[in-house]
Amino acid sequence: MRKTIALAFAAAALAGCGVIPGQQGAGGEERQPETAPAAASEQSAAPEQGAATETTPAQSAPPQDTKVIATREVSTGASGTHGKARVDITALTRQGRTVSLNWTVTGIDGKVNVHNGLGGGGLDFTVSGVSLIDPVNAKRYRVARNGTGEGAECVCSGTQGQFLEPEESSTLYAVFAAPPADVTKVNIEMPMIGVFTDVPIS
């Protein structure tokens, strides 16, 4: 049911506003500079300092395959919180005009800031900072949104209050506009985590 709602929101966003090139989290695609490498640096990117006023559970991810199709272990740091995490990509699935990404973050050491470490800024308690990169056509795809105004929300997991201790996990999702049908692999860029290359789209 949650998967159906998320995809409905994504379709509404794509049909209603189309592509909004060059805007962070605009929910569309943007052309990458020809002179820049398609995959961004794998160095950690720390969002700006932000303070949470209350803790809320993350949105549940849509049902997903448990098979791991890509994985990384990285040292993380965001807003003064540092730790080590394993990130498992479990699904990247094309469904009509959208692609759904599912992944799990598991704490290994220290404290992993999922709270605002994967958003577009210190006060963004979502995973809207995650993007897909089509290296063949040099395009970046931002997380879809359910509208065009300032209050439009991403079609993705909320993360407020999530600070993972060792062995704790968070299952997350995000929905994107689908790349062209002939694109079978993309790179996935995540703030704080880095870049997964050549992840297959099923």
Side-chain angles (χ1 to χ4, degrees), residues 38-121:
S41 168
E42 296 193 5
Q43 296 180 350
S44 297
E48 299 175 0
Q49 183 77 21
T53 56
E54 58 181 80
T55 299
T56 58
Q59 300 175 27
S60 298
Q64 58 179 297
D65 193 344
T66 56
K67 180 181 178 181
V68 175
I69 59 176
T71 188
R72 297 192 69 192
E73 288 191 6
V74 294
S75 295
T76 64
S79 299
T81 302
H82 300 275
K84 185 175 182 180
R86 185 182 74 250
V87 181
D88 297 322
I89 306 295
T90 55
L92 184 61
T93 309
R94 185 189 301 272
Q95 295 179 306
R97 296 172 60 193
T98 65
V99 168
S100 297
L101 170 66
N102 300 90
W103 73 100
T104 300
V105 181
T106 302
I108 296 176
D109 190 27
K111 184 175 288 188
V112 179
N113 180 3
V114 180
H115 170 68
N116 63 354
L118 296 173

Side-chain angles (χ1 to χ4, degrees), residues 6-196:
L7 293 178
F9 278 147
L14 296 172
C17 63
V19 174
I20 308 177
Q23 294 185 8
Q24 174 69 27
E29 62 182 50
E30 60 187 61
R31 175 71 60 179
Q32 296 295 290
E34 295 296 335
T35 57
S41 168
E42 296 193 5
Q43 296 180 350
S44 297
E48 299 175 0
Q49 183 77 21
T53 56
E54 58 181 80
T55 299
T56 58
Q59 300 175 27
S60 298
Q64 58 179 297
D65 193 344
T66 56
K67 180 181 178 181
V68 175
I69 59 176
T71 188
R72 297 192 69 192
E73 288 191 6
V74 294
S75 295
T76 64
S79 299
T81 302
H82 300 275
K84 185 175 182 180
R86 185 182 74 250
V87 181
D88 297 322
I89 306 295
T90 55
L92 184 61
T93 309
R94 185 189 301 272
Q95 295 179 306
R97 296 172 60 193
T98 65
V99 168
S100 297
L101 170 66
N102 300 90
W103 73 100
T104 300
V105 181
T106 302
I108 296 176
D109 190 27
K111 184 175 288 188
V112 179
N113 180 3
V114 180
H115 170 68
N116 63 354
L118 296 173
L123 297 177
D124 183 354
F125 309 120
T126 71
V127 297
S128 68
V130 176
S131 60
L132 307 182
I133 300 172
D134 171 2
V136 175
N137 298 299
K139 289 183 179 180
R140 180 186 297 269
Y141 293 83
R142 304 286 186 182
V143 177
R145 293 191 177 269
N146 61 6
T148 57
E150 290 185 2
E153 298 180 352
C154 77
V155 186
C156 65
S157 293
T159 55
Q160 189 166 12
Q162 294 191 40
F163 295 92
L164 303 181
E165 302 284 353
E167 303 304 321
E168 291 183 342
S169 296
S170 179
T171 300
L172 306 165
Y173 80 97
V175 176
F176 305 83
D182 61 346
V183 176
T184 59
K185 293 182 179 180
V186 295
N187 299 336
I188 301 172
E189 183 178 15
M190 296 185 179
M192 186 175 69
I193 304 301
V195 179
F196 296 81

